[in-house]
mmCIF file of all heavy atoms in Angstrom:
data_model
loop_
_atom_site.group_PDB
_atom_site.id
_atom_site.type_symbol
_atom_site.label_atom_id
_atom_site.label_comp_id
_atom_site.label_asym_id
_atom_site.label_seq_id
_atom_site.Cartn_x
_atom_site.Cartn_y
_atom_site.Cartn_z
ATOM 1 N N ASP A 1 18.801 -30.142 -30.909
ATOM 2 C CA ASP A 1 19.602 -31.311 -31.229
ATOM 3 C C ASP A 1 20.905 -31.260 -30.505
ATOM 4 O O ASP A 1 21.332 -30.211 -30.036
ATOM 5 C CB ASP A 1 19.851 -31.427 -32.756
ATOM 6 C CG ASP A 1 20.943 -30.462 -33.248
ATOM 7 O OD1 ASP A 1 20.970 -29.295 -32.770
ATOM 8 O OD2 ASP A 1 21.748 -30.861 -34.061
ATOM 9 N N VAL A 2 21.562 -32.434 -30.321
ATOM 10 C CA VAL A 2 22.810 -32.502 -29.606
ATOM 11 C C VAL A 2 23.797 -33.364 -30.396
ATOM 12 O O VAL A 2 23.437 -34.470 -30.828
ATOM 13 C CB VAL A 2 22.591 -33.167 -28.210
ATOM 14 C CG1 VAL A 2 23.922 -33.415 -27.514
ATOM 15 C CG2 VAL A 2 21.737 -32.247 -27.333
ATOM 16 N N SER A 3 25.006 -32.853 -30.565
ATOM 17 C CA SER A 3 26.039 -33.636 -31.278
ATOM 18 C C SER A 3 27.008 -34.303 -30.313
ATOM 19 O O SER A 3 27.695 -35.245 -30.691
ATOM 20 C CB SER A 3 26.797 -32.702 -32.236
ATOM 21 O OG SER A 3 27.409 -31.647 -31.548
ATOM 22 N N THR A 4 27.080 -33.817 -29.077
ATOM 23 C CA THR A 4 27.951 -34.428 -28.079
ATOM 24 C C THR A 4 27.454 -35.852 -27.774
ATOM 25 O O THR A 4 26.290 -36.117 -27.652
ATOM 26 C CB THR A 4 27.954 -33.620 -26.740
ATOM 27 O OG1 THR A 4 28.298 -32.249 -27.044
ATOM 28 C CG2 THR A 4 28.937 -34.179 -25.769
ATOM 29 N N SER A 5 28.428 -36.773 -27.637
ATOM 30 C CA SER A 5 28.037 -38.175 -27.379
ATOM 31 C C SER A 5 27.405 -38.293 -25.965
ATOM 32 O O SER A 5 27.773 -37.505 -25.074
ATOM 33 C CB SER A 5 29.243 -39.102 -27.476
ATOM 34 O OG SER A 5 30.020 -39.017 -26.278
ATOM 35 N N PRO A 6 26.453 -39.223 -25.776
ATOM 36 C CA PRO A 6 25.854 -39.354 -24.461
ATOM 37 C C PRO A 6 26.858 -39.757 -23.384
ATOM 38 O O PRO A 6 26.685 -39.428 -22.214
ATOM 39 C CB PRO A 6 24.794 -40.473 -24.661
ATOM 40 C CG PRO A 6 25.253 -41.190 -25.888
ATOM 41 C CD PRO A 6 25.906 -40.175 -26.757
ATOM 42 N N PHE A 7 27.912 -40.416 -23.784
ATOM 43 C CA PHE A 7 28.958 -40.795 -22.811
ATOM 44 C C PHE A 7 29.695 -39.566 -22.310
ATOM 45 O O PHE A 7 30.047 -39.474 -21.122
ATOM 46 C CB PHE A 7 29.938 -41.788 -23.448
ATOM 47 C CG PHE A 7 29.259 -43.034 -23.958
ATOM 48 C CD1 PHE A 7 28.832 -43.152 -25.276
ATOM 49 C CD2 PHE A 7 29.046 -44.104 -23.098
ATOM 50 C CE1 PHE A 7 28.194 -44.290 -25.700
ATOM 51 C CE2 PHE A 7 28.418 -45.227 -23.525
ATOM 52 C CZ PHE A 7 27.950 -45.358 -24.838
ATOM 53 N N ASP A 8 29.971 -38.573 -23.198
ATOM 54 C CA ASP A 8 30.599 -37.351 -22.769
ATOM 55 C C ASP A 8 29.610 -36.474 -21.982
ATOM 56 O O ASP A 8 30.037 -35.794 -21.038
ATOM 57 C CB ASP A 8 31.091 -36.567 -23.986
ATOM 58 C CG ASP A 8 32.310 -37.238 -24.621
ATOM 59 O OD1 ASP A 8 32.990 -38.019 -23.963
ATOM 60 O OD2 ASP A 8 32.562 -36.966 -25.819
ATOM 61 N N LEU A 9 28.340 -36.525 -22.325
ATOM 62 C CA LEU A 9 27.351 -35.753 -21.572
ATOM 63 C C LEU A 9 27.271 -36.178 -20.131
ATOM 64 O O LEU A 9 27.094 -35.361 -19.228
ATOM 65 C CB LEU A 9 25.965 -35.943 -22.209
ATOM 66 C CG LEU A 9 25.719 -35.274 -23.557
ATOM 67 C CD1 LEU A 9 24.358 -35.677 -24.123
ATOM 68 C CD2 LEU A 9 25.798 -33.747 -23.471
ATOM 69 N N LEU A 10 27.463 -37.463 -19.876
ATOM 70 C CA LEU A 10 27.292 -38.006 -18.527
ATOM 71 C C LEU A 10 28.645 -38.129 -17.771
ATOM 72 O O LEU A 10 28.673 -38.535 -16.619
ATOM 73 C CB LEU A 10 26.632 -39.362 -18.587
ATOM 74 C CG LEU A 10 25.104 -39.258 -18.853
ATOM 75 C CD1 LEU A 10 24.583 -40.513 -19.546
ATOM 76 C CD2 LEU A 10 24.374 -38.995 -17.586
ATOM 77 N N SER A 11 29.729 -37.768 -18.412
ATOM 78 C CA SER A 11 31.019 -37.875 -17.738
ATOM 79 C C SER A 11 31.269 -36.699 -16.857
ATOM 80 O O SER A 11 30.702 -35.591 -17.061
ATOM 81 C CB SER A 11 32.155 -37.965 -18.770
ATOM 82 O OG SER A 11 32.245 -36.800 -19.535
ATOM 83 N N GLY A 12 32.134 -36.823 -15.846
ATOM 84 C CA GLY A 12 32.475 -35.728 -14.998
ATOM 85 C C GLY A 12 33.449 -34.794 -15.661
ATOM 86 O O GLY A 12 34.322 -35.224 -16.397
ATOM 87 N N SER A 13 33.297 -33.493 -15.441
ATOM 88 C CA SER A 13 34.194 -32.552 -16.077
ATOM 89 C C SER A 13 34.118 -31.217 -15.373
ATOM 90 O O SER A 13 33.143 -30.921 -14.674
ATOM 91 C CB SER A 13 33.828 -32.400 -17.552
ATOM 92 O OG SER A 13 34.590 -31.394 -18.177
ATOM 93 N N ALA A 14 35.135 -30.407 -15.616
ATOM 94 C CA ALA A 14 35.046 -29.013 -15.226
ATOM 95 C C ALA A 14 34.129 -28.309 -16.236
ATOM 96 O O ALA A 14 33.506 -28.967 -17.068
ATOM 97 C CB ALA A 14 36.438 -28.405 -15.251
ATOM 98 N N VAL A 15 33.999 -27.031 -16.121
ATOM 99 C CA VAL A 15 33.149 -26.277 -17.078
ATOM 100 C C VAL A 15 33.562 -26.601 -18.491
ATOM 101 O O VAL A 15 34.769 -26.551 -18.844
ATOM 102 C CB VAL A 15 33.232 -24.760 -16.790
ATOM 103 C CG1 VAL A 15 32.421 -23.982 -17.824
ATOM 104 C CG2 VAL A 15 32.761 -24.456 -15.386
ATOM 105 N N ALA A 16 32.603 -26.926 -19.321
ATOM 106 C CA ALA A 16 32.870 -27.329 -20.709
ATOM 107 C C ALA A 16 32.024 -26.442 -21.652
ATOM 108 O O ALA A 16 30.877 -26.775 -21.933
ATOM 109 C CB ALA A 16 32.595 -28.786 -20.959
ATOM 110 N N PRO A 17 32.526 -25.288 -22.063
ATOM 111 C CA PRO A 17 31.748 -24.367 -22.901
ATOM 112 C C PRO A 17 31.207 -24.999 -24.175
ATOM 113 O O PRO A 17 30.118 -24.666 -24.628
ATOM 114 C CB PRO A 17 32.708 -23.241 -23.207
ATOM 115 C CG PRO A 17 33.728 -23.275 -22.108
ATOM 116 C CD PRO A 17 33.863 -24.736 -21.782
ATOM 117 N N ASP A 18 31.981 -25.938 -24.776
ATOM 118 C CA ASP A 18 31.478 -26.581 -26.002
ATOM 119 C C ASP A 18 30.238 -27.411 -25.783
ATOM 120 O O ASP A 18 29.302 -27.368 -26.581
ATOM 121 C CB ASP A 18 32.604 -27.391 -26.633
ATOM 122 C CG ASP A 18 33.144 -28.450 -25.668
ATOM 123 O OD1 ASP A 18 33.071 -28.271 -24.436
ATOM 124 O OD2 ASP A 18 33.725 -29.485 -26.157
ATOM 125 N N ILE A 19 30.213 -28.166 -24.662
ATOM 126 C CA ILE A 19 29.018 -28.941 -24.349
ATOM 127 C C ILE A 19 27.890 -28.064 -23.973
ATOM 128 O O ILE A 19 26.727 -28.243 -24.428
ATOM 129 C CB ILE A 19 29.332 -29.947 -23.240
ATOM 130 C CG1 ILE A 19 30.389 -30.989 -23.710
ATOM 131 C CG2 ILE A 19 28.059 -30.690 -22.817
ATOM 132 C CD1 ILE A 19 30.766 -32.010 -22.670
ATOM 133 N N PHE A 20 28.132 -27.040 -23.146
ATOM 134 C CA PHE A 20 27.088 -26.091 -22.738
ATOM 135 C C PHE A 20 26.443 -25.434 -23.982
ATOM 136 O O PHE A 20 25.244 -25.344 -24.090
ATOM 137 C CB PHE A 20 27.686 -25.041 -21.809
ATOM 138 C CG PHE A 20 26.677 -23.995 -21.385
ATOM 139 C CD1 PHE A 20 25.755 -24.230 -20.386
ATOM 140 C CD2 PHE A 20 26.715 -22.738 -21.993
ATOM 141 C CE1 PHE A 20 24.854 -23.265 -19.988
ATOM 142 C CE2 PHE A 20 25.803 -21.758 -21.589
ATOM 143 C CZ PHE A 20 24.882 -22.023 -20.590
ATOM 144 N N ASP A 21 27.278 -24.983 -24.922
ATOM 145 C CA ASP A 21 26.783 -24.374 -26.124
ATOM 146 C C ASP A 21 25.971 -25.369 -26.982
ATOM 147 O O ASP A 21 24.954 -25.019 -27.551
ATOM 148 C CB ASP A 21 27.920 -23.798 -26.949
ATOM 149 C CG ASP A 21 28.592 -22.599 -26.299
ATOM 150 O OD1 ASP A 21 27.969 -21.991 -25.399
ATOM 151 O OD2 ASP A 21 29.723 -22.266 -26.698
ATOM 152 N N ASP A 22 26.454 -26.605 -27.054
ATOM 153 C CA ASP A 22 25.780 -27.601 -27.870
ATOM 154 C C ASP A 22 24.374 -27.876 -27.386
ATOM 155 O O ASP A 22 23.459 -28.148 -28.215
ATOM 156 C CB ASP A 22 26.597 -28.903 -27.804
ATOM 157 C CG ASP A 22 26.079 -29.990 -28.741
ATOM 158 O OD1 ASP A 22 25.429 -29.638 -29.756
ATOM 159 O OD2 ASP A 22 26.325 -31.168 -28.501
ATOM 160 N N LEU A 23 24.110 -27.791 -26.080
ATOM 161 C CA LEU A 23 22.785 -28.079 -25.550
ATOM 162 C C LEU A 23 21.773 -26.986 -25.848
ATOM 163 O O LEU A 23 20.554 -27.201 -25.643
ATOM 164 C CB LEU A 23 22.882 -28.284 -24.031
ATOM 165 C CG LEU A 23 23.754 -29.447 -23.577
ATOM 166 C CD1 LEU A 23 23.702 -29.573 -22.047
ATOM 167 C CD2 LEU A 23 23.327 -30.759 -24.210
ATOM 168 N N GLY A 24 22.203 -25.843 -26.339
ATOM 169 C CA GLY A 24 21.270 -24.752 -26.622
ATOM 170 C C GLY A 24 21.446 -24.134 -27.971
ATOM 171 O O GLY A 24 21.122 -22.961 -28.146
ATOM 172 N N SER A 25 21.933 -24.886 -28.921
ATOM 173 C CA SER A 25 22.136 -24.350 -30.278
ATOM 174 C C SER A 25 21.881 -25.441 -31.314
ATOM 175 O O SER A 25 21.685 -26.611 -30.962
ATOM 176 C CB SER A 25 23.558 -23.789 -30.422
ATOM 177 O OG SER A 25 24.506 -24.833 -30.236
ATOM 178 N N GLY A 26 21.917 -25.046 -32.578
ATOM 179 C CA GLY A 26 21.695 -26.038 -33.638
ATOM 180 C C GLY A 26 20.229 -26.098 -34.030
ATOM 181 O O GLY A 26 19.512 -25.084 -34.020
ATOM 182 N N LYS A 27 19.792 -27.304 -34.413
ATOM 183 C CA LYS A 27 18.401 -27.488 -34.826
ATOM 184 C C LYS A 27 17.439 -27.358 -33.619
ATOM 185 O O LYS A 27 17.674 -27.933 -32.593
ATOM 186 C CB LYS A 27 18.185 -28.851 -35.431
ATOM 187 C CG LYS A 27 19.000 -29.131 -36.671
ATOM 188 C CD LYS A 27 18.733 -30.572 -37.126
ATOM 189 C CE LYS A 27 19.712 -31.024 -38.168
ATOM 190 N NZ LYS A 27 19.481 -32.462 -38.552
ATOM 191 N N LEU A 28 16.372 -26.581 -33.821
ATOM 192 C CA LEU A 28 15.330 -26.500 -32.815
ATOM 193 C C LEU A 28 14.337 -27.631 -33.079
ATOM 194 O O LEU A 28 13.736 -27.687 -34.118
ATOM 195 C CB LEU A 28 14.640 -25.141 -32.883
ATOM 196 C CG LEU A 28 13.572 -24.863 -31.836
ATOM 197 C CD1 LEU A 28 14.188 -24.893 -30.424
ATOM 198 C CD2 LEU A 28 12.921 -23.510 -32.067
ATOM 199 N N TYR A 29 14.203 -28.508 -32.077
ATOM 200 C CA TYR A 29 13.349 -29.698 -32.233
ATOM 201 C C TYR A 29 11.909 -29.450 -31.783
ATOM 202 O O TYR A 29 10.993 -30.150 -32.154
ATOM 203 C CB TYR A 29 13.895 -30.829 -31.377
ATOM 204 C CG TYR A 29 15.006 -31.619 -32.002
ATOM 205 C CD1 TYR A 29 15.808 -32.449 -31.208
ATOM 206 C CD2 TYR A 29 15.260 -31.573 -33.396
ATOM 207 C CE1 TYR A 29 16.839 -33.228 -31.789
ATOM 208 C CE2 TYR A 29 16.301 -32.311 -33.963
ATOM 209 C CZ TYR A 29 17.065 -33.160 -33.151
ATOM 210 O OH TYR A 29 18.071 -33.904 -33.708
ATOM 211 N N GLY A 30 11.695 -28.453 -30.921
ATOM 212 C CA GLY A 30 10.363 -28.195 -30.373
ATOM 213 C C GLY A 30 10.428 -27.162 -29.271
ATOM 214 O O GLY A 30 11.515 -26.746 -28.845
ATOM 215 N N SER A 31 9.241 -26.795 -28.800
ATOM 216 C CA SER A 31 9.169 -25.770 -27.772
ATOM 217 C C SER A 31 7.898 -25.909 -26.958
ATOM 218 O O SER A 31 6.880 -26.386 -27.494
ATOM 219 C CB SER A 31 9.193 -24.359 -28.457
ATOM 220 O OG SER A 31 9.230 -23.340 -27.526
ATOM 221 N N HIS A 32 7.966 -25.521 -25.701
ATOM 222 C CA HIS A 32 6.783 -25.615 -24.828
ATOM 223 C C HIS A 32 6.759 -24.408 -23.903
ATOM 224 O O HIS A 32 7.766 -24.058 -23.274
ATOM 225 C CB HIS A 32 6.806 -26.898 -23.989
ATOM 226 C CG HIS A 32 5.607 -27.093 -23.146
ATOM 227 N ND1 HIS A 32 4.415 -27.621 -23.623
ATOM 228 C CD2 HIS A 32 5.365 -26.779 -21.843
ATOM 229 C CE1 HIS A 32 3.509 -27.673 -22.665
ATOM 230 N NE2 HIS A 32 4.059 -27.145 -21.547
ATOM 231 N N VAL A 33 5.618 -23.769 -23.818
ATOM 232 C CA VAL A 33 5.443 -22.612 -22.935
ATOM 233 C C VAL A 33 4.813 -23.000 -21.635
ATOM 234 O O VAL A 33 3.762 -23.687 -21.617
ATOM 235 C CB VAL A 33 4.574 -21.516 -23.614
ATOM 236 C CG1 VAL A 33 4.230 -20.414 -22.619
ATOM 237 C CG2 VAL A 33 5.252 -20.944 -24.842
ATOM 238 N N PHE A 34 5.477 -22.679 -20.529
ATOM 239 C CA PHE A 34 4.932 -22.903 -19.197
ATOM 240 C C PHE A 34 4.317 -21.577 -18.776
ATOM 241 O O PHE A 34 5.054 -20.645 -18.344
ATOM 242 C CB PHE A 34 6.009 -23.334 -18.208
ATOM 243 C CG PHE A 34 6.497 -24.749 -18.398
ATOM 244 C CD1 PHE A 34 7.465 -24.993 -19.390
ATOM 245 C CD2 PHE A 34 6.028 -25.775 -17.650
ATOM 246 C CE1 PHE A 34 7.923 -26.305 -19.591
ATOM 247 C CE2 PHE A 34 6.467 -27.046 -17.842
ATOM 248 C CZ PHE A 34 7.444 -27.345 -18.800
ATOM 249 N N ASP A 35 3.001 -21.414 -18.876
ATOM 250 C CA ASP A 35 2.371 -20.141 -18.529
ATOM 251 C C ASP A 35 1.780 -20.175 -17.128
ATOM 252 O O ASP A 35 1.199 -19.195 -16.681
ATOM 253 C CB ASP A 35 1.286 -19.784 -19.538
ATOM 254 C CG ASP A 35 0.265 -20.917 -19.760
ATOM 255 O OD1 ASP A 35 0.313 -21.895 -18.975
ATOM 256 O OD2 ASP A 35 -0.499 -20.796 -20.723
#
């Protein structure tokens, strides 16, 4: 899941640890194995 707004996701920025962390934490929605 993602809490960051889509407008902030698509905006230009320097490194943003809060957004980076948001994209890989919180509720797990699903998973797929590439074997």
